[in-house]
Amino acid sequence: MSELNQIDQIAERVERLLVRYDELTRTNALLYQQIGTLTQERDSLKSRLSAARARVDALLERLPSENSSASIKPAFKTATERDQA
C-alpha cells in the first residue's frame, strides 16, 4: 500500500511539473513575441531618428555662416535696440 501511495505522489508531482512546463513554454513564446515587437519598434524609432537628424543637418546647412551673418539684418528689433532708438 505504501508503495502505491508513493507512486501516486510521484505521478501527481509529474503532472504538476508538466502543467508548469506548459505554462512556462507559453510564457516564453509570449516573451519572444514581445521581443520581436519591441525590436521592430526600436528599429522604426532608430530610422525616424536618423531621418530627423538628416533633416536637422539639412536645415543647419541652409543657415548662413558666421561671416555672412553680419550682413543679415534681423526682422525684429530686440528690447534693448528699441530702448536705444
Side-chain angles (χ1 to χ4, degrees), residues 11-70:
E12 184 180 328
R13 288 180 72 187
V14 168
E15 288 293 326
R16 286 194 313 238
L17 285 171
L18 288 173
V19 168
R20 184 71 178 138
Y21 173 80
D22 287 340
E23 290 171 356
L24 290 173
T25 302
R26 282 193 303 272
T27 300
N28 195 34
L30 290 172
L31 288 172
Y32 272 107
Q33 281 181 338
Q34 285 181 341
I35 287 171
T37 301
L38 291 172
T39 300
Q40 287 177 348
E41 184 179 350
R42 182 207 59 204
D43 292 345
S44 173
L45 290 171
K46 283 173 121 178
S47 175
R48 289 175 56 195
L49 177 62
S50 178
R53 280 188 175 145
R55 288 192 306 270
V56 168
D57 288 342
L59 288 172
L60 289 174
E61 291 286 325
R62 292 175 52 192
L63 287 176
S65 65
E66 288 183 26
N67 295 337
S68 63
S69 65

